[in-house]
């Protein structure tokens, strides 16, 4: 009998899992279910659509349902919401969104790629029509349509999305106030000194950063948000509120099916992306993954790991025979953001997080230049390395500069995967060319400084 595989969810992991399953077993009947109209689009590019740098929403669509079926072979059913899965009975409940009709369908295997939803603060007024999140394409379309009526926007949260949206709004000439309760932006990602550099860049470009928490949204008689009330007793008037305080894994289907949820609140999977039920796999932003630094289960909803886990899930759900199963090696935790004229990148664990994970760690900070210092265009580059004292192993890094921060961060990702020590890193044969990097690269210089400091007290 022909194997039937249901993939639930679109955007990044769902289409990748469906395509990989069909590739692994061309004879399988693979069906992708998505409750919205779009199955594959660039979610990370949404802030740049808001600013107009990407002028048309259709540009973000990677594959239409029709193109996906033609090129990947799997079937697609958009505007079909999966209400429940019954793995023991090999059934799922599907609602056709246009008609409301609910049917029960048989499948042999299931792949959950149901993603995450934007977190909304638990405060009064968030139901107002001009309170937005930037998570899905239709949400970004709705926010952009509202821009003509916005003079001043309040952004809740100073993480990557909050900063990207702040830049987009300033590009359009809008006033922006960013509320960050921790005081400095990117507090969970960057070294403290680098957070201050980012804060200065935001201020330089007209973004007001306030160390305050939103405790309510004031609305007018029509229910439209007109101001944000803060924990300092302030009212910040605005015509739009954008919540950018993180994401929550979508686990409703998994919970109903009695699939195990991990300590992070996301779906628990093994290295083969199999859940606690033998015929159910999961991938993307709904799952927790293993961190390679210490083996801890973490929640890291990022696009690269969504694609990677999807390919593993698709392979293993559709595989035949007794050969080796696909395996996900884990994540380092690497991300970057453009902050006006700055690049800010984070890799692995920063000092406070390393200490919280019981590492005996220290930090070395160094400032160098992106190119040979006297070559035209050379820019300051700031780097902080977090190092395990007992082994000298690199645990993480923070980098900020106008150029060169991100590519150097990528070098350090590979070093952490390979469990390199700073003594190893100081001897890396990195490229020296005046337009691209100095003879002693800041990465090498920082590793040298860390090697000298091993065994000494934390500064």
């Amino acid at each position: 009998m022909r194997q039937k595989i249901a993939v639930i969810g679109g955007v990044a992991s769902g289409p990748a899992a469906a395509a990989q399953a069909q590739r692994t077993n061309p004879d399988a009947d693979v069906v992708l279910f998505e409750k919205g109209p779009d199955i594959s689009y660039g979610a990370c590019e949404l802030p740049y659509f808001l600013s107009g740098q990407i002028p048309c929403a259709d540009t973000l669509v990677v594959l239409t349902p029709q193109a996906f079926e033609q090129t990947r072979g799997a079937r697609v059913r958009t505007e079909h919401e999966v209400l429940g899965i019954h793995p023991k009975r090999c059934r799922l409940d599907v609602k056709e969104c246009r008609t409301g009709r609910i049917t029960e369908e048989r499948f042999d295997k299931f792949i959950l790629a149901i993603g995450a939803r934007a977190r909304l603060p638990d405060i009064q007024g968030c139901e107002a029509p001009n309170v937005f999140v930037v998570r899905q394409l239709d949400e970004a379309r709705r926010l952009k349509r509202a821009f003509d009526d916005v003079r001043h926007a309040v952004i809740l949260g100073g993480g990557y999305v909050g900063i990207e949206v702040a830049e987009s709004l300033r590009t359009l000439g809008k006033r922006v106030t960013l509320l960050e309760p921790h005081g400095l932006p990117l507090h969970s990602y960057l070294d403290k000194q680098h957070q201050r550099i980012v804060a200065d860049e935001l201020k330089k470009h007209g973004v007001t950063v306030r160390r305050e928490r939103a405790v309510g949204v004031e609305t007018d008689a029509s229910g439209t948000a007109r101001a944000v009330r803060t924990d300092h007793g302030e009212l910040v008037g605005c015509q739009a509120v954008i919540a950018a305080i993180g994401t929550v894994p979508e686990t409703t289907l998994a919970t109903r099916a009695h699939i195990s949820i991990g300590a992070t609140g996301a779906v628990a999977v093994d290295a083969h992306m199999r859940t606690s039920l033998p015929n159910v796999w999961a991938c993307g932003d709904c799952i927790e993954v293993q961190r390679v630094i210490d083996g801890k289960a973490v929640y890291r909803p990022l696009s690269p790991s969504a694609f990677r886990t999807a390919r593993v899930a698709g392979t293993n759900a559709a595989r035949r025979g007794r050969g080796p199963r696909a395996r996900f090696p884990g994540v380092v935790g690497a991300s970057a953001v453009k902050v006006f004229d700055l690049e800010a990148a984070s890799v692995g664990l920063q000092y406070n997080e390393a200490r919280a994970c019981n590492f005996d760690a220290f930090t070395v900070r160094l400032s160098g230049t992106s190119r040979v210092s006297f070559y035209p265009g050379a820019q300051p580059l700031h780097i902080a390395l977090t190092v395990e004292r007992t082994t000298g192993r690199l645990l993480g890094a923070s980098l900020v500069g106008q150029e060169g921060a991100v590519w150097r961060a990528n070098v350090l990702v590979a070093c952490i995967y390979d469990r390199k020590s700073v003594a190893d890193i100081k001897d890396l044969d990195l490229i020296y060319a005046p337009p691209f990097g100095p003879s002693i690269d800041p990465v090498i210089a920082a590793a040298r400084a860390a090697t000298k400091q091993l065994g000494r007290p934390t500064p």
Side-chain angles (χ1 to χ4, degrees), residues 396-414:
S398 172
L399 303 94
V400 174
Q402 289 191 16
E403 65 172 14
V406 171
W407 76 253
R408 288 174 171 90
N410 277 331
V411 169
L412 296 175
V413 168

Side-chain angles (χ1 to χ4, degrees), residues 187-254:
H187 70 93
S188 297
Y189 304 97
L190 296 182
D191 177 77
K192 190 86 171 207
Q193 291 186 13
H194 297 174
Q195 294 170 34
R196 295 190 182 98
I197 294 171
V198 170
D200 290 343
E201 183 75 3
L202 290 169
K203 181 179 179 181
K204 172 184 170 184
H205 289 272
V207 177
T208 301
V209 180
R210 297 172 66 152
R211 188 171 189 166
E212 297 175 56
R213 183 186 305 275
V215 296
V217 175
E218 299 284 331
T219 57
D220 60 20
S222 69
T224 302
R226 64 176 184 86
V228 174
R229 189 170 66 254
T230 78
D231 57 351
H232 289 198
E234 299 285 339
L235 271 180
V236 184
C238 59
Q239 293 77 47
V241 180
I242 296 100
I245 58 174
T247 57
V248 180
E250 181 51 73
T251 59
T252 304
L253 279 178

Side-chain angles (χ1 to χ4, degrees), residues 120-124 126 215 245:
L120 280 171
D122 186 18
I123 58 177
Q124 185 176 359
C126 276
V215 296
I245 58 174

Side-chain angles (χ1 to χ4, degrees), residues 15 37-41 60-69 71-72:
D38 303 300
I39 65 160
S40 180
Y41 58 86
L60 300 178
V61 175
V62 179
L63 284 169
T64 65
Q66 296 77 17
F68 187 84
E69 289 186 338
T71 61
R72 305 302 191 267

Side-chain angles (χ1 to χ4, degrees), residues 194 197 341-343 366-373 375 377-383 399-405 408 442:
H194 297 174
I197 294 171
D341 297 325
L342 284 182
E343 299 176 11
L366 180 139
S367 294
T369 55
S370 60
R371 315 178 187 187
V372 169
S373 59
Y375 185 90
Q379 300 293 337
L381 183 68
H382 311 281
I383 181 169
L399 303 94
V400 174
Q402 289 191 16
E403 65 172 14
R408 288 174 171 90

